[in-house]
Amino acid sequence: MIRVLLADDQALVRGGFRALLDAEPDLTVVGEAATGDEAVRLALELLPDVVLMDIRMPRTDGLAATRRIVAEPRAAGVRVVVVTTFELDEYVAEAIRGGASGFLVKDTEPADLLRAVRVVAGGDALLSPTVTRRLLATVARATRAVTEAPALADLTPREREVLILVAEGLSNDEIGPRLFLSPLTVKTHVLRAATKLGARDRAQLVVVAYESGVVRPGWSG
């Protein structure tokens, strides 16, 4: 059973999400938070698999709450999906840098929201289709001066190839045929690269790839 915490200052939104999620046999809502501070407290108390986090909430906003949750070692298994009405590039980039594993807008189709929860609970990153490649461009523009991470030397040639394709926004299913690998083998390489580079998940791996210079703005294929 995938356990979900809802964090949104609008009771109507929380109610809609709860009804949608609780109707699924493999999903259950374990708590609701109306503020960022409450989201942090409940996330650390309940340790849900996924937190659906609104950005704009009273006092502590969703971005700050996400950073606080991710920074807690005991919440290492908690994944945050930022869900908001604001599909702004700066929010997307900050959410991913802050440790969010996914980003969705509130007009996302119900089936896509359910899929997002399942994908993120399974350890992958999830972004709205309209957001994914814009995120890459935003991260590229915002990247600090390139400094190659020492840990890059620990990557195998294959892991480096996979990292480059992940940074281009390709899924495991898309990377597989490029490198003549199965999606499962690609996932293994992604996980190993993330571990070596200290990236929490796939989304963080994209940021590391740009910031370390493995991929540069304007590169493709």
Side-chain angles (χ1 to χ4, degrees), residues 7-8 35-37 39-40 51-71 80-84 86-104 127 135 204:
D8 195 295
T35 68
D37 291 329
V40 174
V51 179
L52 294 182
M53 181 80 75
D54 186 27
I55 284 183
R56 292 192 173 180
M57 289 187 291
R59 296 186 290 279
T60 300
D61 66 24
L63 298 176
T66 296
R67 288 192 294 269
R68 286 169 56 187
I69 293 169
V70 171
V80 179
V81 176
V82 172
V83 186
T84 181
F86 304 98
E87 193 182 87
L88 299 179
D89 291 344
E90 59 267 29
Y91 284 153
V92 178
E94 187 174 349
I96 298 304
R97 288 178 186 278
S101 295
F103 188 101
L104 292 171
L127 299 167
L135 166 67
Q204 290 279 299

Side-chain angles (χ1 to χ4, degrees), residues 23-39:
E24 298 295 306
D26 61 329
L27 306 175
T28 184
V29 174
V30 295
E32 297 184 21
T35 68
D37 291 329
E38 190 176 11

Side-chain angles (χ1 to χ4, degrees), residues 9-10 48 65 96 110 141 146 151 168 196 200 204:
D9 63 341
Q10 297 183 42
I96 298 304
R141 289 195 303 270
V146 172
E168 289 180 16
K196 291 178 180 179
R200 180 179 171 91
Q204 290 279 299

Side-chain angles (χ1 to χ4, degrees), residues 168-191:
E168 289 180 16
L170 301 185
S171 67
N172 292 347
D173 287 339
E174 293 169 327
I175 293 172
R178 294 270 196 108
L179 301 180
F180 303 100
L181 301 172
S182 71
L184 183 58
T185 300
V186 173
K187 183 175 182 178
T188 298
H189 287 306
V190 171
L191 292 174

Side-chain angles (χ1 to χ4, degrees), residues 104-185:
L104 292 171
V105 289
K106 286 183 179 176
D107 61 0
T108 296
E109 292 294 325
D112 290 333
L113 177 63
L114 295 174
R115 174 175 170 268
V117 171
R118 294 182 175 113
V119 166
V120 171
D124 290 327
L126 193 287
L127 299 167
S128 296
T130 57
V131 167
T132 304
R133 285 174 173 78
R134 281 176 41 215
L135 166 67
L136 304 185
T138 302
V139 170
R141 289 195 303 270
T143 294
R144 302 182 294 272
V146 172
T147 301
E148 182 151 321
L152 286 173
D154 296 332
L155 298 182
T156 65
R158 180 62 85 191
E159 288 166 356
R160 195 178 182 102
E161 285 180 307
V162 169
L163 174 61
I164 290 170
L165 295 177
V166 167
E168 289 180 16
L170 301 185
S171 67
N172 292 347
D173 287 339
E174 293 169 327
I175 293 172
R178 294 270 196 108
L179 301 180
F180 303 100
L181 301 172
S182 71
L184 183 58
T185 300

